[in-house]
């Protein structure tokens, strides 16, 4: 089975990391008429008729050039300009979250390139000064390094590991087996998802799963197995999916983290999604893949 979230990473590009410091090579590729550029204003891009416009290098504005890599023989770039560019041009500019529906559909092939571009744009946006001496930073390595002009320290993009987990209880595969879903405080009633959280320093991913579930719901988790991962630069995460088996079922929620947590059987999940009283994450998310993997097939409805 090809899980829906894997579509966002199904067409990886060659990132050409060995060429990021080769200025002659970079200039030749930039001059190639076949090269294509995604213009990013701050951390936003502007679709045209629902499609992301990859322009020629000749039509690209001045800005920070970021080498994304090569796909099907063509070189892809991003040019990062200030957020004022979006304010001065017609049309709506979207952050990555607003682009996900399109990237999951006809634009799926571009998803790895867009994730790469906007992930680096977000890093450039939040990394304005050297964290050691507050000196000025200048881009190097085709946008993949920031060099401090005062102390010489190099900064590199960071990716925060985040876990997302489907926790089950009861005899696997039986009518009595249940899975645990929760609702964030900002979500409307009926909207549920798998639990998730960030890894802390010195912590294994499996222990992160156990800690986050215990903190948010009071449920204790035993065995934890890896499921899959999904790039999620919102703003700079990698979602790592896991399946866990509960040792307890009593729920005691942390109201600062979630508003509701429920155990659901497959029958309950089927009935409530069909009725629209239970709304699950969209097919583009690893959360949906985890839920449908446990359920054993596709389910109706999404948000």
């Amino acid at each position: 089975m090809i899980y829906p979230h894997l579509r966002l990473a199904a067409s990886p590009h060659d990132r050409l990391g060995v060429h990021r410091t080769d200025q002659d090579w970079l200039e030749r590729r930039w001059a190639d008429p076949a090269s294509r550029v995604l213009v990013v204003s701050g951390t936003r891009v502007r679709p045209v008729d629902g499609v992301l416009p990859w322009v020629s290098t000749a039509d690209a504005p001045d800005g920070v050039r970021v080498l994304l890599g090569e796909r099907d023989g063509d070189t892809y770039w991003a040019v990062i300009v200030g957020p004022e560019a979006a304010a001065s041009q017609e049309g709506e500019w979207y952050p990555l979250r607003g682009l996900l529906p399109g990237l999951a559909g006809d634009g799926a092939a571009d998803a790895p390139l867009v994730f790469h571009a906007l992930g680096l744009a977000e890093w450039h946006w939040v990394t304005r000064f050297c964290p050691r001496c507050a000196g000025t930073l200048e881009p190097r390595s085709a946008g993949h390094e920031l060099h401090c002009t005062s102390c010489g320290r190099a900064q590199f993009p960071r990716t925060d590991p985040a876990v997302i987990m489907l926790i089950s209880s009861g005899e696997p595969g039986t009518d009595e087996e249940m899975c645990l879903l929760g609702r964030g405080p900002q979500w409307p009633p009926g909207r549920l998802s798998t639990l998730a959280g960030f890894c802390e320093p010195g912590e294994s991913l499996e222990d992160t799963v156990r800690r986050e579930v215990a903190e948010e719901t009071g449920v204790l988790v035993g065995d934890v197995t890896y499921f899959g991962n999904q790039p999620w630069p919102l703003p700079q995460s990698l979602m790592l999916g896991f399946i866990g088996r509960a040792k307890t079922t009593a729920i005691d929620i942390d109201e600062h983290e979630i508003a509701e947590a429920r155990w659901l059987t497959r029958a309950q999940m089927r009935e409530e999604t069909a009725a629209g009283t239970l709304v699950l994450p969209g097919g583009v998310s690893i959360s949906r893949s985890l839920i449908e993997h446990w359920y054993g097939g596709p389910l109706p409805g999404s948000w």
Side-chain angles (χ1 to χ4, degrees), residues 7-16 25 29 32 34-37 51-52 54 67-77 103 106-115:
R7 290 200 298 268
L8 295 183
S11 303
H13 50 287
D14 183 347
R15 296 185 174 225
L16 300 175
W25 184 94
R29 286 298 182 102
D32 185 346
S35 292
R36 287 295 173 262
V37 181
V51 178
L52 289 178
W54 292 89
L67 174 66
L68 300 178
E70 184 179 80
R71 189 182 69 187
D72 298 330
D74 295 328
T75 308
Y76 287 79
W77 307 75
L103 293 176
D106 294 339
D110 285 343
L113 289 164
V114 176
F115 279 6

Side-chain angles (χ1 to χ4, degrees), residues 40-109:
V40 184
S41 176
T43 60
R44 295 171 176 256
V45 298
R46 181 183 60 175
V48 176
D49 296 328
V51 178
L52 289 178
W54 292 89
V55 303
S56 69
T57 55
D59 292 330
D62 291 333
V64 177
R65 291 185 192 175
V66 175
L67 174 66
L68 300 178
E70 184 179 80
R71 189 182 69 187
D72 298 330
D74 295 328
T75 308
Y76 287 79
W77 307 75
V79 168
I80 305 171
V81 296
E84 64 277 2
S88 66
Q89 297 184 28
E90 295 181 357
E92 189 166 0
W93 293 69
Y94 291 90
L96 180 55
R97 191 174 295 277
L99 303 173
L100 288 177
L103 293 176
D106 294 339

